[in-house]
Amino acid sequence: LPEMPRERDALSSVDVKFPKKRRFEVVRMSMVDPLCCTKVTLPVEVEVGPDSLEERTLLVHAMQVLESRLVERMRFELGAIYSVSASVDFSFANPSSQHPLVGTSSISFTCDPSDINKLVAKVFSELETLQREGPTAQDIATRVEISQREHETSSQHNSFWIERIARAYTCRHTPT
C-alpha cells in the first residue's frame, strides 16, 4: 500500500460535478409487482470557517427533521410509502480544512410508479418549507429526545466507539 501523506492538505478529493438543471432518470426492470425506488440527490456545501463543524452538525439534524416530516406526510397523510430515508454524505469531500466541505444530501423512498411525480414534488415542497420556516419547536424537541435516546443506547456498544475514533481521526475539525 502507498504511504498516506502526513498532512491532509496533500490529499485531493474526487471532483464530483452536479448537472446545472434537475435530471430525472428512469431505469426499468421486469418485476412481479410494480415498484419504484426513488432517490433525490442534491449537492451541499459547508464553507470553511469557525462555525463549519456546527453547520455540518445542524445540516445532519435538519435532514433528520426532514425525514420525520416526510414520513408524516408521505406515509401517514398520503399512505403512499412505507419508509423514507434522508441523509447527508461527505465521503468524497476534500480532507483538507482549507477547502469547503462538499457532499450530497439524499432522500430515498420506494413507491408505486404512478405516485412518483406527486411524491418527488412533496419532497421538494417539504425542503422549501424547512428552508423558509426552519424547524418548529416540536421538531427540535423531538430531535433532541431521539438523539439522546440513540446516544444512550448506542454508546453501550463497541461499534459506536470504533466509529467515533475513526471519525475523530478523519475529522477536519481540530479540537482546541
Side-chain angles (χ1 to χ4, degrees):
L1 292 175
E3 188 174 322
M4 291 291 287
R6 293 194 183 276
E7 295 295 321
R8 292 182 184 157
D9 292 342
L11 298 171
S12 61
S13 63
V14 176
D15 190 24
V16 178
K17 300 280 188 215
F18 268 79
K20 299 274 186 229
K21 298 185 324 185
R22 283 187 189 169
R23 185 172 167 197
F24 188 83
E25 189 172 321
V26 176
V27 178
R28 298 201 184 277
M29 294 177 57
S30 178
M31 298 179 72
V32 175
D33 293 318
L35 179 69
C36 181
C37 298
T38 307
K39 186 168 192 169
V40 176
T41 304
L42 303 165
V44 292
E45 184 172 314
V46 177
E47 292 296 327
V48 175
D51 298 329
S52 59
L53 182 62
E54 181 180 349
E55 287 181 32
R56 178 182 178 172
T57 303
L58 290 173
L59 180 58
V60 169
H61 286 295
M63 291 301 288
Q64 291 168 336
V65 167
L66 176 64
E67 181 178 294
S68 296
R69 287 183 178 190
L70 290 173
V71 166
E72 180 67 30
R73 306 297 186 279
M74 294 164 64
R75 180 175 184 188
F76 297 116
E77 290 177 12
L78 299 175
I81 64 163
Y82 285 112
S83 65
V84 62
S85 171
S87 61
V88 178
D89 178 29
F90 292 108
S91 60
F92 291 106
N94 190 310
S96 170
S97 60
Q98 306 303 311
H99 297 279
L101 189 60
V102 177
T104 58
S105 61
S106 297
I107 299 98
S108 304
F109 57 91
T110 56
C111 65
D112 185 286
S114 64
D115 292 335
I116 189 168
N117 291 332
K118 170 179 68 172
L119 295 174
V120 169
K122 179 56 80 176
V123 166
F124 283 104
S125 170
E126 287 299 322
L127 264 172
E128 290 166 5
T129 300
L130 189 57
Q131 286 177 326
R132 187 178 58 253
E133 300 171 8
T136 64
Q138 182 61 47
D139 288 334
I140 294 169
T142 301
R143 191 69 243 146
V144 167
E145 183 179 334
I146 291 169
S147 293
Q148 286 173 337
R149 248 187 275 127
E150 286 174 349
H151 178 76
E152 289 167 3
T153 304
S154 60
S155 64
Q156 302 299 314
H157 302 280
N158 286 340
S159 59
F160 171 86
W161 295 107
I162 291 169
E163 180 186 329
R164 291 299 180 277
I165 291 167
R167 191 181 306 160
Y169 182 75
T170 60
C171 182
R172 306 164 122 213
H173 179 69
T174 306
T176 52

